[in-house]
């Protein structure tokens, strides 16, 4: 017999040996969640539970395979009878036995991603939708929107309004495609990936023989990463556990962490785990709070962030490790200095840790552009996850083709990229036009360009800018402004996010006096193309970093409108997800955590740096966990002229209370950075939308404003 008490801590032991109905294991970051599930499987088997009566549901096949393998090793026997896998694989296996009724006597086929894509193309062609419209969303984008609509269980128009407002003009056409795609699957006897879950739910609701058979077989249900379930997955768990008919004896154990629920954009719903005790009567809640990953100063920061959450299970992470480094708080004057400080810190860390044990994390992919450029100059190899390197992004290459041709009119790759943007210009035409350009055959070139007036306009623009001899930042800004209307057509599916990347390139150009040096630095990057991660630093979005850990983590861009993102201020649930994202980022660090708060962010409209407000999460850390922080200085030059961020983070309580209780549209207010403004709309109890005289509309926390009559 396994000595469970000595192998597990008290909370883990409590979870593993639980045998009295529904249990929710709230597993804090790094608290041994997988170990707990593995020992739970072993304990059930050792205590006479038939392995074939156990159903283990995970979010990846790899996770299920690993858990079952570890349980086998632990017991020294094969638990092959346990059915373990993803929700989708379980649904598929079940539907093979119990066919959906609408199929009647037919078998069904499961579509893969390429099948689904071809089906969308077929429907577009049949309905003659978007055939000659270059701005119509791509089939892959359409498929993603339809999937998101189903997983979030929202109408397509709601999805477009929230996630892809630029595609709202195509709502009617996309809804037609949605109906046609559904009919296509029914006619052909096909199920796509999302169908599996909804068809299983329909089976459990409407086929008594199937539901009774499944209830008889699966007496014990374990669900991993419950915070990542969507609405239909949570309903499936309740149906499989027979929660409605057998509420007092549901042998279901859900394991997860509401503080790591960061995938709402995929359809995950944090309410599933928060409301688990409401859905299962007499639920036991067991908190795993002992952390085996991070030092206590890092955990104290994570606890502080979580303590301000609107709703949580109120766990407090702790470790038995000896105290480690404090959390380092850096306040560089701008993003350029931030990149420089990050690179220098990495150079120091490389004396202690291998490169693959160091990670730079950020909210969005384009936030790392400056750091990438700096690492390239220093020759430090890195791998980037959750975003494209700025030198590889198609829209960046499109825009920079203009600058390259300005320097060198005979740059064939740049000319090919530029010419190929226009309808009717293929490889042969590009070759012909380029030869005329190369031979300086002006007469033939002018005649040819009459057929392609938009390309002629591009070349005239480039020639004009060549004569102007502008400073680098002004030149890149003019190119971006010229290119931007084309961006909206060429990348209709996601141009708003791509535009942010272009603005970052304009910002980067502001550090160069001439275009030659700027373009050279963009090209001169490490040429090591090996796929392995050994010997390479990690750059990653926080979403892509979940489930991973490093000895040293450097978290950059901790300012308002970056982290939390500017979209998050409009809805409280979005802001709370940003908080959880911050918690996930901090708990990736084992030994060292570095937080970077730039004092200013480049504003393209003003063409200069404007003071940035620190992230509210940083303010909470400074207020409530200052003993765990080592402030590394502001790194702000005395001669640097900008409006400074006020050290007084919060307005007096009297003003804050008045603002919350008597805020009205049109009320005048003052912000220490943006100046005078008027309240446009109250967003929630903590923030308002304000129109500032010089800076337009912004969403601002009430505590940063002073109000007048």
């Amino acid at each position: 017999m396994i000595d469970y008490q000595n192998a597990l801590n008290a909370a883990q032991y409590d979870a593993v040996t639980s045998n009295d109905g529904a249990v929710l294991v709230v597993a804090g970051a790094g608290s041994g969640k997988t170990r707990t599930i593995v020992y739970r499987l072993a304990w059930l088997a050792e205590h006479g539970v038939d392995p074939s009566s156990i159903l283990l549901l995970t979010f990846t096949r790899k996770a299920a395979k690993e858990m079952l393998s570890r349980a086998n090793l632990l017991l020294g026997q094969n638990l092959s009878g346990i059915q373990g896998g993803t929700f989708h694989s379980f649904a598929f296996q079940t539907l093979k036995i119990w066919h959906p009724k609408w199929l009647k006597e037919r078998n069904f086929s499961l579509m893969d991603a390429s099948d689904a894509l071809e089906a969308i193309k077929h429907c577009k062609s049949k309905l003659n939708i978007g055939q000659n419209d270059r701005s119509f969303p791509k089939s892959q984008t359409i498929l993603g929107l339809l999937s998101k609509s189903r997983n979030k269980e929202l109408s397509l128009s709601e999805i477009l309004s929230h996630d892809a407002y630029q595609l709202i003009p195509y709502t009617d056409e996309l809804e037609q495609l949605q109906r046609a795609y559904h009919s296509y699957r029914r006619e052909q006897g096909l199920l796509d990936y999302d169908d599996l879950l909804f068809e299983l739910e329909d089976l459990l609701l409407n086929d008594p023989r199937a539901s009774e058979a499944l209830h008889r077989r699966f007496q014990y249900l374990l669900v991993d990463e419950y915070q990542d379930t969507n609405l239909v997955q949570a309903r499936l768990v309740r149906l499989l556990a027979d929660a409605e008919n057998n509420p007092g004896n549901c042998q279901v154990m859900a394991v997860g962490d509401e503080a790591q629920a960061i995938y709402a954009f995929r359809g995950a719903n944090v309410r599933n785990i928060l409301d688990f005790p409401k859905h299962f009567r007499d639920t036991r809640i067991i908190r795993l709070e002992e952390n085996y990953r991070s030092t206590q100063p890092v955990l104290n920061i994570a606890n502080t962030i979580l303590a301000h959450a609107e709703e949580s299970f109120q766990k407090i992470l702790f470790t038995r490790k000896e105290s480690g480094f404090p959390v380092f708080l850096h306040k560089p004057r701008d993003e350029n200095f931030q990149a420089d400080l990050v690179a220098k810190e990495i150079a120091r860390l490389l004396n202690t840790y291998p490169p693959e044990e160091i990670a730079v994390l950020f909210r969005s992919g384009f936030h790392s552009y400056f750091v990438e450029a700096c690492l390239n100059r220093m020759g430090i190899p890195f791998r980037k996850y959750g975003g494209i390197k700025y030198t590889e992004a198609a829209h960046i290459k499109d825009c920079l083709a203009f600058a390259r041709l300005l320097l060198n009119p005979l740059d064939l790759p740049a000319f090919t990229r530029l010419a190929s943007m226009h309808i009717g210009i293929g490889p042969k035409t590009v070759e012909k036009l380029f030869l005329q350009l190369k031979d300086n055959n002006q007469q033939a070139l002018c005649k040819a360009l009459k057929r392609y007036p938009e390309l002629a306009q591009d070349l005239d623009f480039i020639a004009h800018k060549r004569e102007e001899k502008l400073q680098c930042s002004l030149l890149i800004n003019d190119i971006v402004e010229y290119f931007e209307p084309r961006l909206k057509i060429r990348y209709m599916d996601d141009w708003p996010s791509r535009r942010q990347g272009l603005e970052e390139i304009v910002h980067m150009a502001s550090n160069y006096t001439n275009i030659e040096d700027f373009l050279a630095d963009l090209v001169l990057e490490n040429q090591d193309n090996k796929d392995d991660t050994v010997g390479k630093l990690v750059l990653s979005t926080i979403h892509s970093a979940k489930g991973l850990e490093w000895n040293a983590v450097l978290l950059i861009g901790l300012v308002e409108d970056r982290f939390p993102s500017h979209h998050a201020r409009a809805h409280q649930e979005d802001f709370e997800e940003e908080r959880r994202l911050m918690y996930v980022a901090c708990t990736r660090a084992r030994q060292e955590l570095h937080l970077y708060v730039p004092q200013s962010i480049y504003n393209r409209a003003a063409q200069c740096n404007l003071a940035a407000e620190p992230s509210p999460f940083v303010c909470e850390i400074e207020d409530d966990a200052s003993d765990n922080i080592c402030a590394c200085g502001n790194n702000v030059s005395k001669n640097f002229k900008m409006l400074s961020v006020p050290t007084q983070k919060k307005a007096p309580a009297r003003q804050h209370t008045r603002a919350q209780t008597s805020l009205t549209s049109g009320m005048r207010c003052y912000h220490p950075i943006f100046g005078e403004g008027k309240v446009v709309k109250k967003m929630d109890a903590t923030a308002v939308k304000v129109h500032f005289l010089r800076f337009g509309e912004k969403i601002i926390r009430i505590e940063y404003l002073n109000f007048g009559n």
Side-chain angles (χ1 to χ4, degrees):
M1 296 286 287
I2 298 167
D3 187 353
Y4 291 94
Q5 277 191 305
N6 285 328
L8 304 165
N9 65 40
Q12 290 172 336
Y13 179 77
D14 197 14
V16 165
T17 59
S18 175
N19 196 27
D20 54 356
V23 178
L24 175 61
V25 180
V26 181
S31 62
K33 168 182 69 70
T34 301
R35 181 180 180 84
T36 301
I37 294 174
V38 168
Y39 273 79
R40 171 68 172 170
L41 293 171
W43 188 86
L44 288 173
E46 274 199 342
H47 287 76
V49 174
D50 182 354
S52 66
S53 70
I54 301 172
L55 175 60
L56 170 65
L57 294 175
T58 64
F59 273 82
T60 66
R61 296 175 66 181
K62 180 181 177 182
K65 187 176 180 180
E66 179 192 350
M67 290 174 184
L68 291 172
S69 175
R70 286 173 58 177
N72 289 340
L73 289 173
L74 188 63
L75 279 172
Q77 68 182 73
N78 193 338
L79 295 177
S80 58
I82 295 177
Q83 183 155 346
T86 65
F87 279 88
H88 292 84
S89 64
F90 171 70
F92 176 69
Q93 295 299 329
T94 303
L95 291 170
K96 281 201 305 182
I97 301 170
W98 306 91
H99 281 195
K101 286 185 177 180
W102 59 266
L103 281 165
K104 298 180 181 178
E105 301 301 320
R106 293 183 297 166
N107 289 324
F108 70 87
S109 297
L110 184 62
M111 306 169 74
D112 61 19
S114 60
D115 295 331
L117 194 60
E118 288 303 314
I120 293 293
K121 292 177 180 177
H122 171 82
C123 293
K124 283 174 64 179
S125 177
K126 187 175 181 180
L127 294 171
N128 195 28
I129 290 177
Q131 297 303 300
N132 298 310
D133 184 355
R134 293 187 72 189
S135 63
F136 194 79
K138 297 179 178 66
S139 297
Q140 187 68 59
T141 299
I142 295 169
L143 193 60
L145 291 169
L146 299 187
S147 179
K148 184 175 287 189
S149 174
R150 297 196 74 195
N151 281 291
K152 287 193 171 187
E153 298 185 32
L154 295 172
S155 68
L156 193 54
S157 61
E158 288 175 299
I159 294 296
L160 295 177
S161 297
H162 190 271
D163 298 329
Y165 63 86
Q166 73 277 11
L167 299 178
I168 289 176
Y170 295 109
T171 300
D172 290 343
E173 291 92 335
L174 291 172
E175 287 177 343
Q176 286 184 58
L177 283 171
Q178 186 178 42
R179 292 189 292 270
Y181 178 54
H182 175 76
S183 298
Y184 176 90
R185 301 195 310 279
R186 286 297 178 104
E187 290 167 3
Q188 306 296 327
L190 301 171
L191 297 182
D192 68 10
Y193 191 69
D194 297 324
D195 285 329
L196 292 170
L197 301 184
F198 291 98
E199 291 294 347
L200 177 59
E201 180 184 27
D202 184 71
L203 183 77
L204 290 168
L205 287 171
N206 298 310
D207 191 329
R209 291 186 308 155
S211 61
E212 287 171 12
L214 290 170
H215 292 151
R216 281 197 305 271
R217 177 178 174 185
F218 298 114
Q219 301 295 312
Y220 291 85
L221 180 59
L222 278 77
V223 188
D224 187 24
E225 303 284 14
Y226 199 76
Q227 79 281 348
D228 292 337
T229 55
N230 60 20
L231 292 171
V232 67
Q233 287 167 331
R235 293 197 300 269
L236 286 172
V237 171
R238 296 199 293 273
L239 288 168
L240 288 166
D242 202 17
E244 185 175 339
N245 299 317
N246 191 23
N249 194 34
C250 296
Q251 298 297 327
V252 56
M253 177 176 287
V255 184
D257 183 4
E258 89 291 346
Q260 296 187 69
I262 61 172
Y263 294 123
F265 65 94
R266 294 181 184 170
N269 195 315
V270 69
R271 297 272 14 133
N272 290 342
I273 189 168
L274 290 172
D275 293 341
F276 186 91
K278 297 178 184 177
H279 294 143
F280 293 91
R281 196 174 75 186
D282 301 324
T283 295
R284 286 189 64 206
I285 300 176
I286 301 172
R287 294 170 176 81
L288 304 186
E289 298 172 298
E290 183 171 354
N291 181 281
Y292 296 92
R293 176 190 301 156
S294 306
T295 62
Q296 194 60 52
V298 171
L299 298 180
N300 289 343
I301 297 300
N303 288 333
T304 297
I305 294 164
L306 194 55
H308 288 265
E310 189 177 55
E311 189 174 2
S312 74
F313 286 109
Q314 299 179 340
K315 56 188 169 294
I316 299 176
L317 301 180
F318 70 93
T319 182
R320 300 180 192 277
K321 292 181 180 180
E322 295 182 3
S323 296
F325 296 103
V327 172
F328 299 96
L329 182 63
H330 307 263
K331 293 187 177 181
R333 78 182 193 190
D334 58 26
E335 290 176 282
N336 192 41
F337 271 70
Q338 173 181 255
D340 187 53
L341 285 176
V342 166
K344 288 178 179 176
E345 188 61 42
I346 287 170
R348 182 191 70 79
L349 291 168
L350 287 171
N351 292 322
T352 306
Y353 310 115
E356 60 270 21
E357 283 297 341
I358 304 169
V360 180
L361 303 184
F362 32 87
R363 174 63 181 81
S364 298
F366 71 91
H367 292 171
S368 66
Y369 284 0
F370 271 97
V371 174
E372 292 176 48
C374 206
L375 293 174
N376 287 334
R377 286 195 296 270
M378 295 178 67
I380 298 176
F382 63 87
R383 293 282 305 217
K384 185 174 181 179
Y385 300 94
I388 301 173
K389 289 183 181 181
Y390 66 88
T391 53
E392 297 173 355
H395 60 297
I396 300 295
K397 289 186 173 183
D398 288 347
C399 200
L400 293 179
F402 288 88
R404 289 174 56 176
L405 286 170
L406 185 146
L407 280 181
N408 177 13
L410 299 181
D411 184 331
L412 177 56
F415 181 80
T416 301
R417 190 165 200 97
L418 183 70
S420 299
M421 294 181 198
H422 302 290
I423 298 174
I425 300 182
K428 290 183 178 179
T429 304
V430 169
E431 184 179 358
K432 179 181 176 182
L433 291 171
F434 184 76
L435 286 174
Q436 292 168 348
L437 183 68
K438 184 179 179 181
D439 295 339
N440 199 24
N441 190 340
Q442 293 296 322
Q443 184 177 358
L445 183 61
C446 289
K447 183 178 179 180
L449 288 176
K450 286 182 179 180
R451 297 180 59 192
Y452 310 108
E454 290 183 346
L455 177 58
Q457 183 180 338
D458 288 349
L459 296 175
D460 287 343
F461 169 78
I462 291 169
H464 179 65
K465 289 300 167 187
R466 189 182 296 123
E467 292 174 2
E468 282 188 336
K469 298 181 180 179
L470 294 174
Q471 187 181 5
C472 183
S473 60
L474 294 175
L475 176 60
I476 295 298
N477 185 67
D478 286 355
I479 291 174
V480 167
E481 287 186 352
Y482 179 82
F483 176 72
E484 196 165 320
R486 191 171 302 167
L487 176 78
K488 297 178 181 180
I489 298 173
R490 190 166 169 79
Y491 302 100
M492 180 66 176
D493 297 19
D494 59 352
W495 68 260
S497 60
R498 290 179 183 266
R499 182 175 60 182
Q500 291 180 307
L502 288 178
E503 290 179 356
E504 200 74 359
I505 287 291
V506 174
H507 184 188
M508 293 174 70
S510 65
N511 296 289
Y512 294 81
T513 56
N514 63 75
I515 191 70
E516 292 92 342
D517 290 343
F518 175 60
L519 292 177
D521 270 0
L522 295 183
V523 174
L524 293 174
E525 66 173 300
N526 195 288
Q527 298 300 310
D528 183 2
N529 293 318
K530 292 180 182 178
D531 289 335
D532 62 273
T533 58
V534 177
K536 292 181 180 178
L537 180 78
V538 175
L539 270 61
S540 176
T541 61
I542 301 165
H543 284 102
S544 297
K546 185 175 180 290
L548 304 176
E549 57 190 72
W550 296 272
N551 283 334
V553 168
L554 297 84
L555 182 55
I556 64 174
L558 293 172
V559 296
E560 284 276 17
D561 289 342
R562 286 288 177 90
F563 198 170
S565 72
H566 65 280
H567 298 294
R569 283 302 193 188
H571 303 283
Q572 186 64 29
E573 62 268 24
D574 293 339
F575 180 77
E576 286 301 307
E577 179 148 328
E578 296 288 303
R579 176 182 299 285
R580 298 192 291 269
L581 201 60
M582 180 73 176
Y583 169 87
V584 168
C586 292
T587 54
R588 300 310 94 197
R590 296 194 197 101
Q591 302 294 332
E592 294 190 41
L593 175 61
H594 295 256
L595 307 178
Y596 290 83
V597 187
Q599 299 284 281
S600 69
I601 295 292
Y602 186 78
N603 183 286
R604 186 178 156 205
Q607 295 191 7
C608 66
N609 285 331
L610 295 179
E613 294 185 29
S615 167
F617 310 133
V618 172
C619 296
E620 292 167 0
I621 291 168
E622 289 187 294
D623 287 345
D624 300 346
S626 57
D627 291 345
N628 299 276
I629 295 173
C630 174
C632 299
N634 286 347
N635 311 111
V636 179
S637 168
K638 292 181 179 179
N639 298 320
F640 182 61
K641 294 181 180 180
M642 72 169 198
L643 292 165
S644 61
V645 177
T647 55
Q648 181 75 10
K649 301 281 190 315
K650 297 180 179 179
R654 179 181 58 81
Q655 294 176 334
H656 186 52
T657 302
R658 178 191 171 195
Q660 286 183 316
T661 57
S662 61
L663 262 177
T664 58
S665 179
M667 180 180 287
R668 295 179 61 187
C669 60
Y670 179 82
H671 187 276
I673 295 172
F674 302 117
E676 293 184 6
K678 287 186 179 181
V679 174
V680 175
K681 179 182 178 183
K682 184 175 180 180
M683 306 305 296
D684 54 36
T686 64
V688 289
K689 181 181 287 186
V690 178
H691 184 272
F692 293 101
L693 297 179
R694 293 181 56 198
F695 299 99
E697 289 188 355
K698 291 184 177 294
I699 295 175
I700 302 290
R701 287 172 68 93
I702 293 171
E703 61 200 45
Y704 292 116
L705 297 169
N706 289 319
F707 295 88
N709 296 323

